[in-house]
Amino acid sequence: MKLVVVGTGQGGSNIADEFFALGKWVWKNRRIHIFTGEPKDPDTWGVFAVNLGMGDLYGLKHIPKTDDHAILLGATDEFRGRGAGKVNADGAEQARKDGKKITSTIADYGHVYDADAMLVIATTAGGTGSGSIGVIVDLLKDTFKKPVYAMLILPFENQYDDPDSMANTATCLKKVLENSKADAVFLVDNQKFSRKHTDTLSQINRRIADSFMDILCVGEETDRRYVGEVLDANDVIRILKGPTAIGISHIQVPKKQTSLLARIKGNSNHKQHFAVGKAQVERAKNVVSQALAELSVDCEIRNADGSFVYDAESVLGLFSGPAHQSTAEIVEMMDNHFAERVPGANRRKGTYPGRTSDTISVTVIVSGIGEGVARDQINSFYKRATSMMGTLKKNRKVRDKSWVESAKLAETLPDL
Ligand SMILES: Nc1nc2c(ncn2[C@@H]2O[C@H](COP(=O)(O)OP(=O)(O)OP(=O)(O)O)[C@@H](O)[C@H]2O)c(=O)[nH]1
Ligand SMILES: [Mg+2]
């Protein structure tokens, strides 16, 4: 699947930069190109960073820091490349004012005609990214008429009591989920991606981008040795709709025994062979369950007895592993597991055999999410923001009033 990627705001641009790094890795190691542009010339790739802050753009490691890929908004306005300072209405306004600059840069340097889809990424808690993403999504949809996906990075738990972060997150979600032309919205919870307190943002960004590796590669694979049950760009595009989560899980498996002794032993003992097959399926089943647990945002419905299911329109699973592990039995197991866990959903499945010799991994995408933890979390952002904004307004009024009282006490003093 070939993408044009646009990161907006600092976090959004950093993640787009990490996608660029991933693109370099898969080109070098797999000879697969996942962006538009000339594969051998990264300066032409369709990956862009949009920002109000010049400083944020200088932090990029891979996206060229030139006018053709780093798009600076508000340069002629009062912002002068300083950022939106957490006011996302300013982020939205500047993206609207500079809309032509955004679309013409992407039209001139994005090779959009080659793209299967466009992905716009932003964090929700800041000003620039959270304000501009909805505007940019709409601009791209209107201009290029391609599938446009948004990726929203939700705040860490320790930001839940910060009024600015909540107001920005809630207004961004409202715009992108309810009032934008995005074909689907990937929800990514920063908290879920930070496994330890010591995790850095760049480690989190890398995990986010890496979740997309196999799903982007599989349809572009041209080496026939690695083509399994094909899952191409259209299979993915057809299921992506509304709120969406992606998850990936890996496990190391023993390399296939190839020594003469091992082969003689294996062939002479069918019982053992059968046991190994069963263990293989069991192991793969754990990876499938783990991929659901590792979704970019929690979205299960938890039952009272501790079990859980998912409410979604579609679910897609991609099994990738050594060729001898990608058996029909394993694919059937994956499909049955999804049928059980995401009842009533449309199911798509594919395999990507042989690209790795000692790792199996499962990528899962759940799209058109309905009831469940994700929706509860979004509702809670809306409620928190509404209540915090109300409290801020009330407190401001009380404070202003108290200063009026102070000014009264000074009334009879001489003016300087
Ligand atoms: N995953 C991830 N999260 C980030 C990153 N940078 C910032 N964040 C988170 O996103 C929130 C918003 O920060 P930024 O992305 O810098 O905000 P911005 O869009 O540039 O907006 P302003 O700086 O307010 O104009 C922060 O509070 C962090 O929680 C990043 O590189 N990766
Ligand atoms: Mg910023």
Side-chain angles (χ1 to χ4, degrees), residues 9-10 51 56 128:
Q10 186 170 17
N51 218 314
D56 293 349
T128 307

Side-chain angles (χ1 to χ4, degrees), residues 74-260:
T76 54
D77 222 315
E78 72 269 29
F79 295 95
R80 297 223 170 269
R82 278 196 305 259
K86 289 210 113 184
V87 180
N88 70 353
D90 288 345
E93 192 192 337
Q94 294 305 310
R96 261 183 223 113
K97 274 193 181 160
D98 275 335
K100 195 102 209 96
K101 183 173 178 184
I102 299 172
T103 52
S104 63
T105 308
I106 296 173
D108 291 347
Y109 303 102
H111 311 270
V112 184
Y113 43 84
D114 262 345
D116 294 303
M118 308 179 88
L119 175 67
V120 191
I121 309 169
T123 57
T124 62
T128 307
S130 92
S132 60
I133 184 166
V135 176
I136 296 175
V137 161
D138 288 353
L139 282 169
L140 298 185
K141 189 73 195 175
D142 289 339
T143 312
F144 301 109
K145 316 270 188 278
K146 294 260 176 179
V148 177
Y149 305 125
M151 184 193 286
L152 299 181
I153 316 298
L154 304 173
F156 293 102
E157 269 165 24
N158 66 9
Q159 293 171 295
Y160 288 8
D161 60 1
D162 171 50
D164 280 338
S165 299
M166 288 301 102
N168 289 339
T169 296
T171 48
C172 175
L173 283 165
K174 180 180 178 191
K175 164 70 190 164
V176 178
L177 281 176
E178 293 165 35
N179 296 314
S180 84
K181 295 177 180 168
D183 292 282
V185 182
F186 285 93
L187 298 169
V188 177
D189 187 353
N190 251 344
Q191 193 64 40
K192 275 206 83 178
F193 276 83
S194 77
R195 307 225 162 110
K196 300 185 217 100
H197 285 303
T198 49
D199 280 352
T200 62
L201 287 175
S202 60
Q203 284 169 316
I204 295 176
N205 296 349
R206 178 146 191 201
R207 266 181 227 136
I208 295 171
D210 282 356
S211 315
F212 286 81
M213 180 164 83
D214 284 337
I215 202 81
L216 291 177
C217 283
V218 69
E220 298 298 310
E221 184 60 74
T222 49
D223 189 327
R224 297 189 62 83
R225 285 175 302 167
Y226 308 134
V227 175
E229 185 166 342
V230 176
L231 201 58
D232 62 20
N234 273 337
D235 293 310
V236 181
I237 288 166
R238 254 180 238 129
I239 70 134
L240 289 180
K241 192 182 153 204
T244 300
I246 184 167
I248 186 159
S249 172
H250 319 257
I251 187 182
Q252 297 276 114
V253 291
K255 286 202 180 187
K256 198 177 181 188
Q257 297 174 323
T258 47
S259 75
L260 184 61

Side-chain angles (χ1 to χ4, degrees), residues 392 394-404:
L392 274 183
K394 212 167 90 196
N395 290 348
R396 194 178 305 132
K397 255 194 192 153
V398 173
R399 238 175 261 126
D400 286 352
K401 209 170 145 206
S402 69
W403 280 108
V404 172

Side-chain angles (χ1 to χ4, degrees), residues 278-289:
K278 230 179 134 184
Q280 244 179 42
V281 175
E282 209 42 49
R283 190 163 48 208
K285 192 169 176 181
N286 288 338
V287 187
V288 175
S289 312

Side-chain angles (χ1 to χ4, degrees), residues 306-320:
S307 65
F308 51 86
V309 289
Y310 296 81
D311 174 28
E313 196 166 316
S314 309
V315 56
L316 173 150
L318 174 63
F319 182 91
S320 113

